């Protein structure tokens, strides 16, 4: 019995050591090119969805490298949103120029222009990330640029995990513009698979050529795919034993002081140091940095399907009637755990005005509070049905179809899924009444019966034009 007890203790201790070793791998989240202009999501929709996902997945602090040419009256408030949630602002230049294709004086002035636009932000940190990760192809230029940044008090905002998430975004946006049917479940899986493979690749290169796993810095872009799927990616990383840390902590790693000798820095700090240590270029190339391979995977995962059936008149009328902001009282259901006095849903036209984007949020005494869902309403030509997708915190997704079932009545049936909740089916019935738009929700029981839940009467809010 003593031997068995000792053996059990030994193996438990060994498992603890293994778990601790696995948990030591750390990575920080950073986003380039913020704040991006409108795409299939508006800048505001994208930012709010991204912040909800970061918060829900436990990312306390990310860093947004700002390209200041994107700043205008519509996008400047986005930086305030990032800061309000505790995230950091850094410099990614003004015009996003290649250093090796630009006169040094012009390039440095471009950095100064961005610096002047960003210095006064409370959460600004003096880190500069070279656009395209291009730190120069001439040793004299490289040295002069390093001294220039040091004089300004900047540190290098290097990355350790490079990837072409921007190209996945391009493939997705091209499909949206073409009116293709998008399978977001497959898009999410492709996004996670590609980025996880990039992280594993960089970490393997680091352990082979640096002898250890550093505090990694992941390069992402401020785009729609990040807004949709960053929460799912973070949960996947955590499930693999990785810890998400602040970029400020990551930039304290010793490799921050290991300036590569190679002039090829376009794959990030780990790849550059591996080149110095004798790695061949072929070893460093990965699927996540190959446009042709990503195009092949986009097709293989069946993310987009070309369709061409026209949407019906009833759906066009439905979209036109919904555009605007609708508000309802929550007095009947208000409680300590649900303090909202009202709810509001805001519908705006999507790209090309052939779809709607929406968001549901709470109000407390007339003031907007928390966001709950973002929506995409569009015509699925292949299924010949109106489709509603919605995304919430914690990676929650609802997907289903809308149809007219009678005069002035619209029915929506969706399947809801989430990483930490069982899948369920929900029905919403909308009826236009003299008092407003009456909505009633139902949840399907295990026996297949619809059980009523809540009813709200929504009033369309007047606009400035009204």
């Amino acid at each position: 019995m003593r031997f068995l007890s000792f053996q059990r203790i030994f193996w438990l201790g060994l498992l603890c050591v293994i778990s601790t070793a696995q948990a030591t791998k750390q990575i920080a989240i950073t986003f380039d090119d913020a704040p991006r202009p409108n795409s299939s999501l508006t800048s505001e929709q994208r930012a709010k969805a991204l912040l909800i996902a970061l918060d829900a997945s436990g990312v306390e602090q990310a860093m947004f490298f700002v390209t200041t040419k994107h700043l205008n009256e519509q996008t400047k408030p986005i930086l305030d949103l990032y800061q309000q949630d505790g995230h950091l602002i850094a410099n990614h230049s003004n015009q996003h120029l290649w250093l090796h294709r630009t006169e040094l004086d012009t390039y440095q002035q471009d950095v100064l222009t961005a610096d002047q636009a960003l210095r006064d932000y409370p959460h600004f940190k003096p880190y500069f990330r070279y656009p395209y990760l291009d730190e120069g192809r001439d040793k004299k230029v490289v040295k002069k640029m390093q001294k220039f940044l040091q004089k300004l008090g900047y540190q290098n905002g290097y990355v350790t995990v490079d990837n072409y998430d921007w190209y996945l975004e391009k493939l997705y946006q091209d499909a949206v513009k073409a009116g293709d049917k998008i399978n977001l479940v497959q898009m999410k899986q492709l996004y996670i698979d590609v980025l996880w493979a990039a992280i594993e690749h960089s970490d393997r290169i680091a352990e082979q050529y640096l002898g250890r796993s550093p505090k990694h810095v992941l390069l992402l872009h401020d785009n729609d795919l990040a807004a949709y799927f960053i929460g799912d990616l973070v949960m996947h990383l955590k499930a693999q034993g990785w810890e998400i840390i602040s970029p400020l902590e990551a930039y304290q790693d010793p490799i921050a002081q290991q300036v590569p000798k190679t002039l090829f820095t376009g794959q990030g700090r780990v790849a550059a140091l591996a080149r110095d240590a004798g790695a061949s270029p072929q070893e460093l190339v990965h699927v996540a940095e190959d446009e042709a391979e990503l195009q092949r995977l986009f097709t293989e995962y069946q993310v987009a399907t070309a369709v061409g059936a026209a949407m019906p008149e009833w759906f066009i009328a439905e979209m036109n009637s919904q555009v605007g902001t609708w508000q309802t009282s929550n007095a009947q259901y208000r409680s300590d755990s649900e303090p909202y006095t009202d709810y509001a849903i805001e519908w705006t036209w999507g790209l090309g005005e052939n779809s709607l984007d929406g968001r549901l949020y709470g109000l407390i005494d007339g003031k907007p509070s928390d966001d709950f869902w973002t929506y995409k309403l569009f015509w699925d030509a292949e299924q010949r049905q109106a489709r509603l997708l919605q995304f919430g915190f914690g990676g929650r997704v609802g997907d289903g179809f809308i149809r007219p079932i009678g005069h002035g009545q619209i029915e929506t049936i969706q399947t809801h899924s989430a990483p930490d909740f069982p899948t369920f089916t929900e029905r919403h019935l909308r009826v236009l009444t003299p008092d407003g738009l009456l909505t009633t929700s139902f949840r399907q029981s295990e026996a297949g019966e619809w059980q009523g839940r809540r009813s709200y009467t929504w009033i369309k809010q007047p606009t400035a034009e009204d």
Side-chain angles (χ1 to χ4, degrees), residues 27-28 30 32 92 98 129-134 158-167 194-203 205 216-221 264-272 284-290 294:
I27 193 165
T30 67
D32 278 9
H92 195 42
W98 289 88
R129 178 167 292 166
Y130 289 85
Y132 311 103
L133 304 182
D134 172 24
Y158 63 83
V159 306
T160 66
V161 182
D162 185 34
N163 62 85
Y164 284 8
D165 71 315
W166 58 268
Y167 190 70
V194 167
L195 290 173
W196 172 238
I199 293 165
E200 281 195 307
H201 172 77
S202 294
D203 193 55
I205 292 296
H216 282 284
V217 179
L218 175 62
L219 168 62
L220 295 174
H221 288 80
F264 183 77
T265 56
Q267 289 180 284
R269 181 61 59 95
V270 163
L284 304 178
V285 176
H286 187 263
V287 60
E289 301 167 307
D290 186 326
L294 291 176

Side-chain angles (χ1 to χ4, degrees), residues 288-303:
E289 301 167 307
D290 186 326
E291 293 181 24
E293 186 64 13
L294 291 176
Q295 174 72 71
R296 186 190 67 77
L297 288 171
F298 191 83
T299 302
E300 182 180 298
Y301 277 63
Q302 299 181 335
V303 173

Side-chain angles (χ1 to χ4, degrees), residues 24-35:
T24 56
K25 294 195 174 183
Q26 299 173 311
I27 193 165
I29 309 295
T30 67
F31 299 93
D32 278 9
D33 301 347

Side-chain angles (χ1 to χ4, degrees), residues 116-138:
Q116 292 164 4
L118 298 172
R119 277 280 179 179
D120 292 338
Y121 281 93
H123 282 214
F124 170 78
K125 298 297 178 183
Y127 286 86
F128 177 73
R129 178 167 292 166
Y130 289 85
Y132 311 103
L133 304 182
D134 172 24
E135 299 185 20
R137 306 285 176 87
D138 178 275

Side-chain angles (χ1 to χ4, degrees), residues 256-427:
Q257 306 305 319
Q258 293 177 256
V259 180
K261 296 177 182 177
T262 179
L263 294 177
F264 183 77
T265 56
Q267 289 180 284
R269 181 61 59 95
V270 163
L273 292 174
R275 286 285 290 273
D276 287 347
S280 68
Q282 291 77 16
E283 291 179 83
L284 304 178
V285 176
H286 187 263
V287 60
E289 301 167 307
D290 186 326
E291 293 181 24
E293 186 64 13
L294 291 176
Q295 174 72 71
R296 186 190 67 77
L297 288 171
F298 191 83
T299 302
E300 182 180 298
Y301 277 63
Q302 299 181 335
V303 173
T305 304
V307 293
M311 65 181 68
E313 290 296 325
W314 76 263
F315 183 61
I316 295 173
E318 173 69 6
M319 289 196 296
N320 277 287
S321 69
Q322 289 298 312
V323 170
T325 300
W326 299 75
Q327 190 167 318
T328 186
S329 170
N330 190 46
Q332 183 178 354
Y333 306 107
R334 192 181 186 191
S335 65
D336 290 340
S337 60
E338 187 178 349
Y340 310 102
T341 52
D342 302 271
Y343 289 112
I345 185 167
E346 176 183 283
W347 291 103
T348 57
W349 286 110
L351 198 67
E353 294 195 355
N354 56 8
S355 63
L356 293 184
D357 297 317
R359 71 180 182 103
L360 175 69
Y361 56 95
L363 297 97
I364 298 179
D365 298 326
K367 296 182 179 180
S369 182
D370 299 308
D371 283 61
F372 301 104
W373 293 99
T374 58
Y375 302 90
K376 190 73 176 180
L377 177 63
F378 61 99
W379 179 252
D380 187 327
E382 185 177 56
Q383 298 293 328
R384 297 183 180 275
Q385 296 185 77
R387 191 169 185 174
L388 180 65
L389 288 167
Q390 62 188 83
F391 305 89
F393 60 88
R396 300 186 184 191
V397 177
D399 186 7
F401 297 96
I402 299 173
R403 65 188 181 106
I405 59 173
H407 182 68
Q409 297 185 53
I410 301 291
E411 178 188 67
T412 304
I413 297 179
Q414 290 177 292
T415 299
H416 288 256
S417 59
D420 51 352
F421 286 89
T423 299
F424 62 89
T425 302
E426 199 164 77
R427 174 178 182 253

